[in-house]
Amino acid sequence: MKLFDDIPVERPATPLLDTLEAPAALRAMNAGQLAQVADELRAYLLYSVGVSGGHFGAGLGVVELTVALHQALETPHDRLVWDVGHQAYPHKILTGRREAMTGIRQYGGLAAFPRRAESEFDTFGVGHSSTSISAALGMALAARTRGESRRVCAVIGDGALTAGMAFEALAHAGHVDANLLVVLNDNEMSISENVGGMASYLARILTSKPYTSMREGGKRVLSHLPGALELARRTEEHMKGMISPATLFEELGFNYIGPIDGHDLPLLVETLRNMRDLEGPQFLHVKTRKGKGFLPAEADPIGYHAITKLEKSDPETQGATPPPLKPAPGPEKRDAPGRAKPRKYCSVFGDWLCDMAAADERLIGITPAMREGSDLVRFSKEYPERYFDVAIAEQHAVTLAAGMACEAMKPVVAIYSTFLQRGYDQLIHDVAVQELDVTFAIDRAGLVGEDGPTHHGSLDLSFLRCIPGLVVLAPADEAECRAMLSAAYRHPGPAAVRYPRGTGPGVAIPDHLEPLKIGRAEWRRRGAARVALLAFGSLNGPAAEVAERLDATHLNMRSIKPLDRDAVLAAADGCDLLVTLEENVVAGGAGSAVNELLMAEGVRVEVLNLGLPDAFVEHGKPAELLAECGLDADGIEASIRARRG
């Protein structure tokens, strides 16, 4: 295997990889050629992600596994389902999208994750984790129902396997005895220890033709002897259990193989070829290393989970040593009071959490596997006894918080908007119905950018606003974010603060923990034109610009639930056109709340609701997507002028 210290700044030579327009060509290659393809694939992956930015370490760790899967399975006839999709970059390269990889996650380019509309090899669209086994099982059962001869394989990481949904699917697959292959990509996240050569030898034996023939033939013979078949099954089970961590998956009804070295390409190919022909639920456990082949990523797999794109080098330095790779930005240092340097909203939250924890020993921090993304790193180190990472289990995270609140603790759940959808029933049933004191810090609200429709937080105002008793706030800047978090935390019931990905406008952040008053809007501008802009959260920036252009009134609404009734009625009384602005779908969102209030009060005024469209917005830079949705300053102004004639 070729190892890399740097990311290539020029496109590497990949002569064999360039001949592959579809993975079928892999099936005619010998072992040496497959090894060359793997080396070239890793080199090209490094180069393309250096150009585009994007998910990084997971793809490097499955280069050999991806080659082996496409070599052993007859894709796309055989279905290959990737979990989450962070690890699917090599898959995209091998399935006809090689030259488009430099535009991945960019507006109009390839999607960040597998997507059915993009390729026939992308059998299931993903973005959230732990769905692959359920989807693959559905495909396997459909094939069985139609009498089709095809194999279905799900590739899931050990992180994704922590979710209950994955185990629900495993249990069902074993129950229905489906022809399903599950490959566990264990990249050293504590599923089990690698048992080395013994495991590799065992995998060869347990998947070999003589063994499987003897096993099936023995079953037929023993089936005529009372009790003998069960005795043989238990004997085989205990023999496996002594030398491999098979018990759990065998009990679920799977034939367990492994763990084996996920970077040993010949072993992978041989094992997968043999397992493809086995009947019933099959489970292959492979050990990989995240970032494999790129030494900085091997040393820091968390820091190199994803990277920003490399800056283009100066023409005078072409051919010189490439600049050092920077991992994806992590937590930022706290700014001094009074400075107006833009801060990431997640960083504002991370600092607030630590400060509030110092002030209140009842505070508990909870995250479903989003410690780095939600900026809980500092909190996890300073307050380890009050920090709970529940892994990819959003449902459990919410109900865990509810249980803690029942015991007079003050839980704060840090969660992305798109992932809160997964804990929606628990939010209603376990928290809101019981009026429990849980604070939700909802990150990545609105359009998140390059990760696309599976990750946009475009629905939360709509699905939160309808829950009785839930307070919902949205800050316009960094200082408001801190004050709103304090307000939500001190509110004696469920409350949510939703804030966008990225940085704020650069407002100085106070050190104190004084709360902002819930349900009180801020009048930012009173204009002569009889137009009032009621802006919620992130759209206060373009609203201010439009208000200046049109000499309109501008209110920063701050609170979606409860609304500032007096402010809305006052704005309506002084204008001919009321414009609501939100980075959420219009249907059921903040603008709808304003409409409902006006109707309830019997106020007649023309209203223009501007927000995200009734469609799933594609991937691209947030500024590009907002412009496409008509939510930048130019688009907002154009909509207002069009309405006014």
Side-chain angles (χ1 to χ4, degrees):
M1 177 189 298
K2 185 177 180 180
L3 301 178
F4 296 83
D5 289 301
D6 298 300
I7 288 187
V9 293
E10 300 290 342
R11 191 195 189 287
T14 55
L16 192 53
L17 182 66
D18 292 347
T19 66
L20 297 176
E21 295 304 321
L26 293 170
R27 293 158 210 155
M29 291 184 177
N30 58 38
Q33 290 172 314
L34 291 175
Q36 181 181 338
V37 167
D39 283 342
E40 293 181 6
L41 179 56
R42 183 169 277 110
Y44 187 81
L45 176 61
L46 286 165
Y47 161 74
S48 64
V49 179
V51 172
S52 65
H55 298 106
F56 188 71
L60 289 172
V62 296
V63 166
E64 287 78 18
L65 177 60
T66 305
V67 172
L69 284 166
H70 279 295
Q71 202 278 342
L73 299 174
E74 295 181 6
T75 56
H77 174 76
D78 288 340
R79 308 305 195 209
L80 179 57
V81 183
W82 296 92
D83 210 280
V84 183
H86 295 157
Q87 56 192 336
Y89 283 28
H91 161 80
K92 292 198 176 203
I93 293 171
L94 289 177
T95 52
R97 289 165 280 181
R98 180 181 61 252
E99 300 306 322
M101 287 296 294
T102 53
I104 196 169
R105 303 171 74 245
Q106 298 173 25
Y107 185 66
L110 296 179
F113 306 101
R115 186 176 185 186
R116 285 171 53 82
E118 192 175 284
S119 170
E120 64 177 335
F121 291 92
D122 291 359
T123 60
F124 192 74
V126 294
H128 294 180
S129 80
S130 314
T131 62
S132 61
I133 303 175
S134 296
L137 177 58
M139 295 175 188
L141 293 176
R144 185 167 76 183
T145 300
R146 292 196 299 264
E148 296 174 348
S149 177
R150 76 169 82 251
R151 294 293 167 167
V152 183
C153 173
V155 184
I156 188 168
D158 52 329
L161 198 64
T162 63
M165 181 178 180
F167 280 93
E168 291 169 5
L170 287 171
H172 188 204
H175 176 71
V176 297
D177 197 32
N179 285 339
L180 175 68
L181 170 60
V182 175
V183 177
L184 171 60
N185 171 27
D186 178 2
N187 55 18
E188 301 185 344
M189 297 289 285
S190 79
I191 288 290
S192 68
E193 293 295 324
N194 194 340
V195 294
M198 178 59 74
S200 299
Y201 175 72
L202 177 65
R204 287 193 175 97
I205 294 297
L206 295 181
T207 62
S208 66
K209 299 294 185 182
Y211 175 84
T212 54
S213 297
M214 180 181 68
R215 183 173 181 260
E216 295 306 315
K219 281 184 178 180
R220 287 191 294 271
V221 173
L222 294 174
S223 63
H224 300 291
L225 302 177
L229 188 60
E230 176 63 16
L231 176 62
R233 187 191 69 80
R234 290 185 176 275
T235 301
E236 180 186 36
E237 176 183 305
H238 289 300
M239 288 179 63
K240 286 184 177 181
M242 288 188 291
I243 50 178
S244 69
T247 305
L248 171 62
F249 302 108
E250 293 277 7
E251 288 297 323
L252 288 170
F254 280 77
N255 177 44
Y256 174 95
I257 304 297
I260 66 173
D261 183 355
H263 303 294
D264 185 336
L265 188 52
L267 175 61
L268 284 169
V269 168
E270 181 183 357
T271 304
L272 285 167
R273 280 178 179 170
N274 289 335
M275 294 190 77
R276 184 187 181 278
D277 296 328
L278 298 180
E279 296 292 316
Q282 307 295 321
F283 194 99
L284 175 62
H285 182 175
V286 301
K287 296 280 288 184
T288 63
R289 187 173 182 85
K290 199 170 184 179
K292 183 68 175 179
F294 183 62
L295 298 179
E298 289 191 34
D300 183 14
I302 293 177
Y304 286 91
H305 169 70
I307 64 167
T308 54
K309 66 180 181 180
L310 297 177
E311 297 297 328
K312 291 182 180 179
S313 56
D314 188 276
E316 296 182 3
T317 64
Q318 286 290 342
T321 301
L325 178 67
K326 296 179 181 179
E332 297 179 343
K333 294 183 179 179
R334 186 169 184 176
D335 298 323
R339 287 187 63 186
K341 179 182 178 182
R343 293 283 305 282
K344 288 186 176 182
Y345 282 101
C346 64
S347 176
V348 174
F349 165 71
D351 284 344
W352 171 84
L353 190 67
C354 291
D355 294 345
M356 187 60 81
D360 188 349
E361 63 183 11
R362 297 173 299 165
L363 185 148
I364 299 290
I366 300 171
T367 179
M370 288 288 113
R371 185 184 75 150
E372 286 74 26
S374 294
D375 208 345
L376 285 150
V377 175
R378 178 185 158 205
F379 179 82
S380 69
K381 294 177 180 178
E382 294 185 9
Y383 300 96
E385 73 286 354
R386 290 196 262 164
Y387 166 73
F388 295 90
D389 185 340
V390 302
I392 301 173
E394 291 85 354
Q395 302 94 323
H396 173 61
V398 176
T399 304
L400 176 70
M404 291 176 172
C406 288
E407 300 300 322
M409 301 304 290
K410 295 273 288 181
V412 178
V413 180
I415 192 167
Y416 290 7
S417 171
T418 185
F419 297 137
L420 182 57
Q421 297 163 188
R422 309 184 94 178
Y424 190 56
D425 179 65
Q426 289 73 20
L427 172 59
I428 297 171
H429 184 273
D430 299 336
V431 176
V433 168
Q434 304 183 86
E435 300 179 356
L436 293 174
D437 190 357
V438 179
T439 300
F440 292 89
I442 304 175
D443 196 356
R444 271 63 167 181
L447 300 176
V448 300
E450 292 87 345
D451 283 345
T454 60
H455 281 61
H456 293 321
S458 56
L459 307 174
D460 57 75
L461 291 186
S462 301
F463 70 66
L464 292 174
R465 194 174 70 79
C466 64
I467 300 176
L470 178 66
V471 167
V472 185
L473 309 173
D477 55 51
E478 302 95 322
E480 281 194 356
C481 185
R482 183 176 174 92
M484 285 182 181
L485 287 165
S486 294
Y489 184 78
R490 293 201 167 112
H491 174 70
V497 180
R498 61 103 71 172
Y499 46 88
R501 180 185 185 184
T503 59
V507 173
I509 306 170
D511 286 331
H512 61 70
L513 294 167
E514 292 300 314
L516 179 147
K517 187 172 179 59
I518 293 173
R520 181 70 58 83
E522 175 194 22
W523 291 79
R524 289 198 166 186
R525 189 183 193 280
R526 295 180 186 268
R530 294 183 62 80
V531 176
L533 307 180
L534 277 57
F536 295 85
S538 57
L539 290 190
N540 273 281
E545 188 175 342
V546 173
E548 288 291 333
R549 295 180 187 179
L550 302 179
D551 194 14
T553 296
H554 172 204
L555 281 79
N556 168 21
M557 292 304 297
R558 289 178 168 169
S559 181
I560 294 89
K561 187 174 184 178
L563 278 176
D564 187 336
R565 171 185 175 275
D566 294 340
V568 173
L569 296 180
D573 184 55
C575 73
D576 298 325
L577 178 63
L578 207 61
V579 183
T580 65
L581 301 168
E582 61 189 301
E583 198 171 339
N584 185 85
V585 293
V586 172
S592 293
V594 172
N595 300 345
E596 293 161 12
L597 172 61
L598 294 172
M599 291 185 67
E601 297 288 341
V603 175
R604 293 189 176 185
V605 63
E606 186 174 3
V607 180
L608 173 61
N609 298 134
L610 298 180
L612 298 178
D614 186 22
F616 291 106
V617 179
E618 295 300 329
H619 58 279
K621 295 184 183 303
E624 295 172 328
L625 301 179
L626 285 171
E628 183 184 80
C629 296
L631 294 179
D632 62 347
D634 290 341
I636 293 168
E637 181 183 2
S639 294
I640 293 172
R641 291 189 183 278
R643 174 59 65 90
R644 298 183 76 193

